[in-house]
Amino acid sequence: MQNTSSQGPVFKVRTLPQNQPQPFELRPTKAELAAIAADFDLLDLRKTTLIGRIQADGKTDWALTARLGATVVQPCVVTLKPVTTRIEASVERRYLAQVPDQPEDEEVEMPEDENAELLGSEIDVSAVLYEALALNLPQFPREDNAEMENAVFTEPGKQAMTDQEARPFASLAALRDKLGSAEDE
């Protein structure tokens, strides 16, 4: 991935400046975009950037703040036609030298800061881009005005049950209608 910072997409924590932010601008190559698109079953991925900075957060912790931009093309969940979506999202990560201990006899709860993780020897900005993209992809992309028609599925040779027939009192209503028509005769 192309990166305008001097260290590349992986920053060694020991070389990060303690007194000033380390800016970065990550722009995946066409081959990298194609690989990411394949991983996420996208039809296309383009105009993808992660622009931000890493800075000290106290004496031992680090904070990453960035802006993710990407244009994704996914199949519509109804028609399977391509749906293009522009993603613009803020990204925040906190890298902690020590994670607070959890008592062993108590239930483990989700940490208060969902953006916090244990600090290692490196901060991989390309991994942050990948994760942020995964979290911000539309789960059910839908073409404008795309509506699901009445779809019925069943085994070959059998009559499919409709939504109306599946309702709790549908069979009683059908019986009432049948009895009502028998009385009319």
Side-chain angles (χ1 to χ4, degrees):
M1 295 192 191
Q2 300 170 354
N3 185 9
T4 60
S5 74
S6 60
Q7 293 191 14
V10 177
F11 291 88
K12 302 273 187 210
V13 174
R14 61 179 157 68
T15 64
L16 287 171
Q18 193 72 25
N19 56 354
Q20 66 183 20
Q22 172 66 57
F24 63 84
E25 186 172 334
L26 192 60
R27 296 182 185 278
T29 64
K30 284 186 179 185
E32 291 165 333
L33 289 173
I36 295 169
D39 284 351
F40 292 131
D41 294 326
L42 303 176
L43 300 176
D44 195 14
L45 175 62
R46 54 187 184 262
K47 297 180 186 173
T48 303
T49 59
L50 185 67
I51 301 170
R53 64 186 188 178
I54 300 171
Q55 66 186 41
D57 186 15
K59 292 185 179 188
T60 58
D61 299 335
W62 294 89
L64 178 147
T65 55
R67 190 86 186 137
L68 170 69
T71 300
V72 298
V73 182
Q74 300 170 280
C76 173
V77 295
V78 176
T79 65
L80 298 180
K81 292 180 181 177
V83 176
T84 302
T85 306
R86 180 68 188 164
I87 297 172
E88 294 287 339
S90 295
V91 179
E92 294 180 17
R93 298 289 182 276
R94 291 189 55 235
Y95 299 94
L96 307 176
Q98 290 189 356
V99 177
D101 290 331
Q102 293 285 337
E104 289 184 32
D105 58 339
E106 293 183 23
E107 283 187 35
V108 176
E109 293 185 22
M110 293 297 292
E112 288 182 32
D113 186 354
E114 63 189 25
N115 295 319
E117 58 186 83
L118 187 60
L119 177 66
S121 61
E122 300 175 335
I123 297 175
D124 185 350
V125 178
S126 59
V128 172
L129 181 146
Y130 192 89
E131 180 184 88
L133 184 61
L135 292 171
N136 286 285
L137 282 175
Q139 291 184 3
F140 303 103
R142 196 175 184 130
E143 188 180 33
D144 289 340
N145 300 321
E147 292 187 27
M148 184 73 156
E149 293 180 18
N150 192 12
V152 276
F153 306 96
T154 190
E155 298 174 27
K158 294 190 176 185
Q159 177 149 352
M161 181 187 300
T162 65
D163 285 343
Q164 185 65 28
E165 293 168 333
R167 291 196 167 82
F169 296 104
S171 58
L172 291 174
L175 180 61
R176 179 196 66 208
D177 294 345
K178 189 175 181 180
L179 289 173
S181 65
E183 290 176 4
D184 292 341
E185 292 176 6

